């Protein structure tokens, strides 16, 4: 771009930035995995290397290695990609006090525990804590409501109206 007029060069730079933002928005909206996030820009750079055979071959090799690393599974479970993060959903089992068994969904976000989605009738003690201060709330606002465990607890404690807000559409759908 240094051989062009400054205004034209700046316009090309801005156009490339806008194209990148739109491509990222489309990839996020479609919930595509990182292999696509990185693969698209790398493929777009290959035409720039067409006159340099060694650089082109090195670029193709890098793409193959990188995509192989990104596509390989990192942990068991069903993998989902949201616009914000990687989510892995697995089915696990637990035991009740009476000795019976049950299944629940375990959710990891970016390879770190996020929450267990269990039957609302099997609430752990920490869901009881807020209701010691307000035993039967009329209305509730839950920010970061996740998959709905807190909503179920609020309804079980007599809340008549619950506004639940979460930024991640995939976590909401999984709940």
């Amino acid at each position: 771009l240094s051989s062009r007029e400054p205004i034209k060069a700046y316009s090309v730079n801005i156009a490339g930035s806008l194209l990148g933002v739109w491509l990222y928005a489309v990839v996020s909206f479609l919930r595509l995995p990182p292999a696509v996030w990185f693969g698209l820009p790398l493929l777009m750079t290959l035409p720039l290397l067409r006159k340099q055979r060694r650089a082109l071959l090195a670029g193709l090799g890098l793409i193959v290695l990188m995509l192989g690393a990104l596509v390989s599974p990192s942990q068991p479970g069903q993998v989902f990609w949201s616009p914000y993060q990687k989510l892995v959903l697995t089915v696990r089992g637990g035991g009740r006090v009476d000795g019976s068994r049950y299944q629940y969904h375990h959710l990891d976000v970016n390879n770190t525990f996020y929450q267990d989605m269990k039957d609302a009738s099997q609430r752990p003690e920490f869901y009881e804590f807020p209701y010691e201060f307000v035993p039967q709330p009329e209305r509730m606002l839950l920010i970061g409501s996740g998959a709905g465990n807190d909503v179920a607890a609020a309804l079980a404690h007599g809340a008549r109206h619950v506004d639940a807000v979460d930024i991640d559409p995939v976590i909401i759908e999984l709940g």
Side-chain angles (χ1 to χ4, degrees):
L1 291 176
S2 62
S3 63
R4 297 183 180 209
E5 297 175 34
I7 296 297
K8 286 183 183 178
Y10 182 71
S11 298
V12 170
N13 191 349
I14 294 296
S17 295
L18 291 173
L19 176 65
V21 168
W22 280 104
L23 279 175
Y24 177 75
V26 168
V27 166
S28 293
F29 178 77
L30 295 176
R31 301 179 184 167
L32 299 174
V36 176
W37 303 351
F38 292 105
L40 281 174
L42 285 173
L43 287 173
M44 292 169 65
T45 61
L46 290 180
L48 302 174
L49 302 173
R50 68 181 178 270
K51 293 181 183 177
Q52 301 169 351
R53 185 169 173 77
R54 284 178 58 183
L56 180 62
L57 291 174
L60 284 171
L62 179 65
I63 288 172
V64 169
L65 286 173
M66 187 209 57
L67 292 180
L70 288 172
V71 171
S72 65
S74 59
Q75 65 190 90
Q78 192 172 2
V79 177
F80 300 90
W81 292 97
S82 79
Y84 306 100
Q85 55 214 354
K86 171 186 174 184
L87 300 110
V88 178
L89 186 68
T90 54
V91 177
R92 295 193 177 174
R96 294 189 177 95
V97 175
D98 65 5
S100 62
R101 305 283 301 159
Y102 66 95
Q103 286 190 331
Y104 64 94
H105 290 91
H106 174 87
L107 184 62
D108 285 329
V109 173
N110 297 328
N111 300 327
T112 303
F113 171 74
Y114 179 71
Q115 82 178 112
D116 288 330
M117 295 179 274
K118 296 183 178 181
D119 180 356
S121 65
Q122 303 296 319
R123 289 189 313 270
E125 284 184 27
F126 57 80
Y127 280 107
E128 305 298 323
F129 180 70
Y131 304 100
E132 291 182 19
F133 300 98
V134 182
Q136 290 186 317
E138 176 85 18
R139 299 175 53 90
M140 289 191 69
L141 169 63
L142 296 172
I143 298 174
S145 59
N149 290 354
D150 296 318
V151 174
L155 294 172
H157 282 91
R160 289 196 176 92
H161 182 88
V162 179
D163 289 307
V165 180
D166 201 288
I167 193 171
D168 195 319
V170 177
I171 290 178
I172 295 168
E173 289 169 14
L174 291 175

